[in-house]
């Protein structure tokens, strides 16, 4: 229904009074200002000039709907929806106070755009959900009709015309500047680009839209599954450690914390001696920047990301997901989180393919042909896309490039960045130790690591796997879930999607029985793929070749060894065929199978281990199988010299572990002895540590090892303990539970730094055996040590960790992070006195119950997308005095918690909040390049003390908007003075301090 038709049913005389009541009437003397008049300042149900309550707005909307239904003629929608429509209309109109635009901008956009923005606010969308088509159409029309009257009201304000002229002049100047820059940077593209991009995005969606889930290609199951069904989002976290908190001192080093500048307080348990009333609670390891983030959202916050992950952790699957997400039409994407990639053009660049022939890496015009895309783009199309900053460049597998060629790869990346860096988004993936920590740091890349699958993620994966595998697999799901909870050795293997998929497949394939240990799992998987796959599908010998498992392994491991020895994960089909044909005469069963060409074709197409990933290229379905079979070939041929020469090579870490698994006891002893000698000859501590850790981790794979060899290996590894850096701690933790016996206890740890690095190492050991060790440090005086213990809660069984560790931790100076219901219940059972950080999409009822039980002195709420108010904090026996809020987009009303001593907001929260409590001091943390500090005087006009933390941006910040805070007496700015502008513009009664973090 058009607005004109609504007008025929409902005269302006009924609507105009409603609009006048919704908006603040202009007082005498209103004049031109250079400050935008935000819509939030013009509505009558927000701010100091409030004359309506939200309840009044609901009443007005109800009256309006009833009048329109009472008019003669056919009702515009069913009468039983009147109450729902009125509620939706009221919530749509209330959204006026939330829009980030001023009156001049609103008039410029027009009534339809204003109505669209109101309808798309989260509150309006929720209220309109479930309405019939007629009711929705009516709601859209009456919203547009109301917006016509609202814009008419704006244009009648005395100051509007003057401000409009000023705004137009500014806009024209800015538009001319931007057009000049646009013309310079983006030559005109013809219609062929648009047509080609449509075809190309369809190709990318088809090419990368399916995912192989290992093991469910048995029986009648398809080989591939839609990515939307199979994809599981994992977390990614920063590799380097957070430096001290800018208010309360050092935070713990974790694998998830980024580099941070030190804060002003030297002692984390005491507020700084400057008269500032800080919250007095160390955030510790759960600093906002240290929180793990969904890996597929990393590019939303960072234009350039180097993402590390172990074999099977899901790096390539993530690349597929990002590429497919970029192909979706806005509004049709089932995952709204990925909307930030819309209008991006994805380029998927697997380095194993690009470097197969050792040729020069391609320039943009060769991206598509280099990866086998059959489409031919218009001339210079890729250059136009990247020059416009529309590209999504996904470079997969730095670790799959031979080490000698990685410098060349980095130069290629840097050349691309130098030519097309602005605006494009870049993701580069690698195994963790393939490149050093600063490999791309100078080029602005954020270094993140895919986190191991949490217990919750494993549970979700197992559920999805069995759902995808069909009804006959459902009976095996719960027994496997029980086994993963009760069997520590099995749970220790289920840390990434590859291993989880193999475990699920083998569990079903073996009717609920699983082999023990990694080697046994791989061998069972090989048997399943090589011999049982076709037999259990009743396919006979479709290739005409019927080979047992052993001869197939003998032939395929030749390919694995060649690839590993040459630092490749892909090879030419012709070379693969030549290697297999040359080996067939030495394998009697294969030689008797007939045509050697048919044997190779059988291995390629029916073994389930190999694939032709692109025309003329052969690789293994996963790198893990290549490592396992290469290790077997090395042990079979006893090429121990090759193994030792590559002891410090990251590409050989899994090969060494698997070689120990394949070796007999005497061979194991020789491998370890040679590895110790290689460590002694290492050129530096980093290489020495890598060799020792690989050797120590390999001990878990040995079926038998001489006590003297074990003792020698452990004693040498102990020399590297405690680690000096987080990177060394991470490397040591890879050795598994045995490293716990080498780490010092709290009595032996000499100083807080040693204790801290010890706890970091132990907390990274993926085994419940770490829990009793960590519990020994619960009473340590260092807040960094205790913060690390709190942060590690999510890695272990919630109830056990709460009982043995959390309950014993001295709570002073800490937030205790709650990410789920289990943690909330455990914390509530421990009693009060602990500051609580509620992180993530937690329901209001859970927060309220936890606050009621724990009576926390301080509360932090972050990353909650649906919380709208803070009533959940008001039922505590003693209300919290310190409150921190960040990244809660729907949380606009904070007034329920007042009064409070300190309120902390980051600038994303500052932009959306509308109502605030009475507060003695406010801290604002600036993370965006252009923070809106004008919101501070609007929200806190009488605030006596304000602190501003400006540590996370290299852009200057202008403090001049803060001069409008009438009650301000003290302003503290923590950041680089060279990036702080306007500090000298405050009146003399305001004490302004700008200082670098200490």
């Amino acid at each position: 229904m058009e607005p004109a038709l609504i007008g025929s049913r409902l005269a302006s005389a009924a609507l105009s009074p409603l609009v006048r009541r919704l908006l603040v009437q202009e007082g005498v003397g209103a004049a031109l200002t250079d400050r935008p008049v935000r819509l939030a300042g013009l509505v009558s149900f927000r701010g100091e000039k409030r004359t309506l309550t939200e309840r009044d707005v609901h009443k007005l909307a109800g009256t309006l709907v009833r009048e329109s239904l009472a008019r003669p003629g056919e009702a515009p929608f069913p009468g039983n929806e009147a109450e729902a429509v009125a509620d939706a209309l009221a919530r749509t109109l209330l959204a006026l106070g939330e829009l980030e635009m001023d009156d001049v901008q609103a008039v410029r956009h027009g009534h339809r755009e204003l109505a669209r923005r109101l309808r798309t606010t989260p509150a309006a969308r929720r209220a309109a959900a479930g309405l019939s088509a007629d009711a929705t159409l009516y709601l859209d029309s009456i919203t547009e009709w109301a917006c016509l009257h609202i814009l008419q009201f704006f244009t009648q304000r005395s100051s509007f015309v003057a401000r409009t002229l000023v705004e137009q002049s500014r806009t024209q100047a800015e538009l001319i500047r931007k057009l000049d820059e646009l013309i310079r940077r983006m030559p005109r593209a013809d219609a062929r680009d648009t047509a080609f991009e449509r075809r190309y995005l369809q190709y990318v969606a088809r090419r990368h839209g399916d995912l192989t889930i290992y093991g469910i290609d048995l029986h009648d199951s398809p080989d591939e599954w839609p990515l939307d069904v199979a994809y599981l989002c994992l977390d990614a976290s920063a590799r380097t450690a957070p430096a001290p908190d800018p208010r309360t001192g050092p935070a713990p080093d974790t694998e998830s914390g980024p580099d941070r500048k030190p804060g002003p307080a030297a002692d984390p348990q005491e507020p700084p001696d400057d008269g500032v009333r800080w919250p007095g609670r160390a955030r510790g390891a759960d600093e906002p920047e240290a929180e793990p983030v969904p890996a597929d959202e990393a590019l939303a916050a960072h234009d350039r990301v180097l993402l590390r992950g172990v074999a099977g952790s899901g790096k390539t699957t993530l690349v597929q997901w990002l590429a497919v997400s970029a192909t979706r039409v806005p509004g049709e994407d089932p995952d709204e989180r990925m909307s930030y990639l819309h209008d991006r053009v994805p380029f998927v660049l697997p380095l194993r393919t690009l470097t197969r022939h050792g040729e020069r890496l391609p320039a943009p015009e060769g991206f598509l042909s280099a990866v086998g895309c059959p489409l031919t783009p218009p001339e210079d199309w890729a250059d136009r896309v990247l020059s416009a900053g529309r590209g999504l460049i996904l470079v997969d597998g730095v670790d799959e490039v031979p080490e000698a060629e990685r410098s060349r790869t980095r130069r290629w990346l840097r050349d691309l960045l130098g030519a097309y860096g602005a605006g494009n988004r870049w993701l580069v993936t690698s195994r963790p130790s393939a490149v050093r920590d600063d490999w791309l740091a100078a080029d602005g890349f954020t270094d993140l690591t895919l986190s191991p699958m949490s217990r919750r993620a494993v549970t979700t994966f197992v559920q999805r796997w069995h759902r995808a595998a069909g009804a006959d697999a459902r009976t095996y799901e719960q027994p496997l879930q029980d086994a993963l909870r009760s069997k520590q050795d099995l749970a220790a293997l289920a840390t990434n999607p590859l291993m989880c998929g193999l475990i699920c497949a083998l569990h079903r394939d073996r009717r609920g029985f699983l082999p023990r240990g990694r080697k046994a799992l791989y061998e069972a998987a090989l048997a399943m793929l090589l011999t049982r796959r076709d037999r259990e599908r009743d396919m006979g010998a479709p290739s005409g070749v019927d080979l047992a498992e052993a001869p197939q392994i003998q032939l395929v491991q030749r390919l694995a060894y060649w690839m590993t020895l040459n630092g490749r994960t892909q090879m030419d089909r012709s070379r693969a065929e030549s290697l297999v044909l040359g080996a067939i005469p030495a394998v009697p069963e294969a030689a008797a199978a007939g045509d050697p060409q048919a044997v190779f074709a059988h291995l390629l197409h029916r073994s389930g281990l190999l694939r032709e990933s692109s025309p003329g290229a052969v690789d293994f379905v996963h790198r893990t199988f290549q490592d396992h079979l290469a290790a077997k070939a090395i042990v079979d041929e006893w090429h121990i010299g090759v193994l030792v020469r590559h002891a410090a090579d990251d590409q050989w870490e899994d090969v060494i572990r698997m070689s120990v698994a394949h070796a007999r006891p005497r061979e194991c002893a020789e491998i370890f002895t040679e590895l110790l000698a290689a460590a002694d000859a290492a050129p530096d501590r980093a290489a020495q540590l890598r060799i020792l850790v690989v050797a120590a981790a390999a001990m878990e794979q040995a079926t038998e090892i001489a006590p003297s060899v074990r003792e020698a290996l452990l004693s040498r590894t102990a020399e590297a303990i405690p680690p000096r850096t987080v990177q060394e701690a991470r490397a040591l933790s890879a050795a598994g539970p045995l490293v716990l016996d080498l780490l010092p206890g709290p009595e032996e740890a000499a100083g807080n730094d040693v204790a801290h690095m010890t706890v970091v190492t132990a907390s990274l050991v993926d085994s419940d055996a770490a829990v009793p060790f960590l519990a020994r440090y619960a009473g340590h005086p260092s807040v960094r040590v205790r913060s690390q213990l709190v942060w590690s809660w999510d890695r272990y069984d919630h109830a056990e960790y709460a009982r043995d560790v959390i309950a014993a931790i001295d709570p002073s100076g800490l937030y205790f992070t709650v990410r789920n219901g289990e943690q909330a219940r455990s914390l509530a059972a421990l009693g009060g006195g602990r500051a609580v950080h509620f992180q993530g999409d937690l329901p209001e009822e859970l927060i309220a119950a936890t606050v009621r039980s724990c009576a926390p002195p301080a509360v932090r709420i972050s990353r909650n997308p649906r919380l709208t108010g803070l009533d959940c904090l008001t039922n505590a026996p003693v209300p919290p005095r310190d409150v921190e809020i960040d990244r809660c987009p729907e949380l606009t009303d904070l007034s329920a918690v007042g009064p409070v001593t300190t309120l902390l907001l980051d600038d994303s929260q500052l932009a959306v909040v509308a109502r605030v409590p009475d507060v003695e001091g406010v801290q604002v943390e600036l993370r965006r390049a252009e923070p809106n500090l004008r919101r501070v005087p609007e929200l806190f006009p009488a605030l006596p003390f304000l602190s501003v933390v400006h540590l996370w941006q290299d852009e200057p910040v202008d403090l001049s908007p803060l001069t409008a805070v009438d009650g301000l007496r003290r302003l503290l700015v923590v950041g680089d003075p060279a990036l702080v502008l306007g500090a000298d513009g405050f009146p003399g009664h305001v004490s302004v301090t700008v200082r670098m973090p200490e």
Side-chain angles (χ1 to χ4, degrees), residues 296-297 300 321 325-326 328-344 425:
D296 53 16
E297 295 181 44
W321 176 254
S325 296
R328 294 191 170 125
V329 178
E332 297 180 3
D333 193 338
D335 191 339
E336 292 185 358
R337 298 177 307 110
M338 307 308 296
S339 61
Y340 76 94
L341 292 178
H342 293 164
D343 198 38
R344 293 279 170 181
R425 296 186 186 272

Side-chain angles (χ1 to χ4, degrees), residues 699-907:
M699 283 198 295
E700 289 188 330
Q701 309 299 327
T703 55
E704 180 181 330
I705 182 171
S708 59
V709 174
R710 178 183 177 87
E711 183 61 32
L713 186 56
L714 292 179
S715 64
R716 287 299 313 281
T717 306
E719 294 175 5
I721 294 175
R724 300 175 184 175
T725 65
V726 177
Q727 289 70 36
E728 290 188 2
R730 187 181 299 110
L732 278 175
S733 69
L738 66 87
V739 78
L740 298 171
D741 296 330
L742 306 176
L743 292 171
E747 301 81 9
E748 296 85 27
N752 289 345
D753 289 341
V754 171
H756 175 236
M757 295 310 303
T758 297
V759 170
V760 169
T761 306
S763 67
L764 293 174
V765 173
D766 189 24
S767 168
D768 287 336
V771 175
F773 181 89
L774 294 171
R776 296 168 59 192
Y777 277 87
H780 201 278
S782 168
V783 71
R784 300 178 74 204
V785 171
R786 290 181 281 117
S787 295
Q788 183 70 34
L789 295 176
V790 172
W791 181 247
S792 304
W793 192 357
D794 235 17
R795 296 174 180 155
Y796 305 101
D797 179 80
H798 290 128
E800 178 188 0
Y801 198 87
R803 181 187 67 242
D804 296 345
V805 182
I806 297 296
I809 293 176
D810 175 6
S812 60
L814 297 177
Y815 272 110
F816 287 76
T817 304
V818 169
R819 299 186 181 92
N820 52 59
E822 293 95 329
Q823 288 180 330
R825 287 187 289 273
S826 295
L827 203 61
L830 297 178
R834 294 172 175 84
V836 182
H837 170 199
F838 297 99
Q839 180 190 352
D841 189 9
L842 299 174
E844 185 173 358
E845 298 77 18
L846 183 145
I847 297 174
T850 307
V851 168
R852 200 162 44 243
S853 301
C854 296
V859 168
R860 180 173 174 230
I861 301 176
S862 67
R863 296 181 182 273
N864 194 316
R866 50 180 174 169
L867 197 64
T868 58
L870 293 181
D871 290 336
C872 54
L873 303 185
T874 61
N875 294 325
V878 179
R881 298 293 294 168
D882 301 322
V883 176
E884 302 187 19
I885 307 293
D886 67 271
R887 283 166 285 188
C888 299
E890 296 296 302
L891 186 47
T892 60
D893 187 353
L894 313 182
S895 59
V897 298
V900 294
T901 302
T902 306
L903 177 68
L904 186 147
L905 304 173
D906 76 337
D907 48 13

Side-chain angles (χ1 to χ4, degrees), residues 165-322:
L165 292 175
V166 172
E167 180 67 19
Q168 284 178 347
S169 299
R170 292 173 177 170
T171 302
Q172 287 174 355
E174 179 67 11
L175 182 60
I176 291 171
R177 186 188 66 79
K178 289 182 176 179
L179 283 175
D180 289 343
E181 178 66 15
L182 186 62
I183 292 171
R184 184 185 69 81
R185 292 178 53 190
M186 191 175 71
R188 180 182 178 276
D190 57 33
R192 291 180 303 161
D193 282 6
T194 302
F196 174 76
E197 284 180 20
R198 188 179 302 113
R199 293 179 59 212
Y200 175 66
L201 293 179
Q202 291 172 352
Y203 166 80
V204 171
R206 290 192 302 269
R207 173 70 178 81
H208 300 288
D210 293 318
L211 177 69
T212 298
I213 304 182
Y214 298 103
I216 56 176
D217 55 349
L218 301 176
H219 306 293
D220 298 321
S221 302
D223 291 335
E224 293 181 328
W225 298 81
L227 192 61
D228 286 341
V229 175
Y231 175 73
L232 178 68
C233 179
L234 299 178
D235 284 342
S237 50
R239 286 172 55 81
T240 51
D245 181 280
R247 299 157 300 145
T248 54
D253 290 313
T254 73
E255 85 280 23
S256 59
D259 288 327
R260 295 287 300 275
K261 300 175 183 178
D267 185 344
Q269 301 188 52
E270 296 179 6
D273 185 19
D274 55 10
V276 178
R277 188 181 292 275
W278 300 94
R281 301 269 168 189
R283 287 187 190 173
D286 57 356
E287 266 290 331
E289 294 293 324
E291 295 169 2
V293 297
D296 53 16
E297 295 181 44
L299 285 177
H302 309 285
D303 288 345
R304 304 176 184 183
V305 171
L306 171 60
L307 184 70
R308 304 174 191 252
V310 299
S313 60
K315 301 185 295 295
T316 300
T317 302
L318 174 64
V319 166
Q320 288 183 241
W321 176 254
L322 293 173

Side-chain angles (χ1 to χ4, degrees), residues 25-74:
Q25 301 302 306
E26 189 173 63
V28 179
L32 171 65
T33 69
D34 62 355
R35 187 174 300 170
V37 180
R38 299 292 180 188
L39 299 194
L42 293 175
V43 297
S44 61
F45 46 84
R46 297 279 175 90
E48 293 182 353
K49 299 181 180 180
R50 180 174 59 191
T51 58
L52 285 184
T53 65
E54 293 188 7
R55 184 176 181 182
D56 294 330
V57 177
H58 280 272
K59 287 182 179 179
L60 289 171
T63 300
L64 194 62
V65 171
R66 286 195 300 273
E67 287 192 14
S68 63
L69 287 176
R71 301 281 170 170
E74 181 184 358

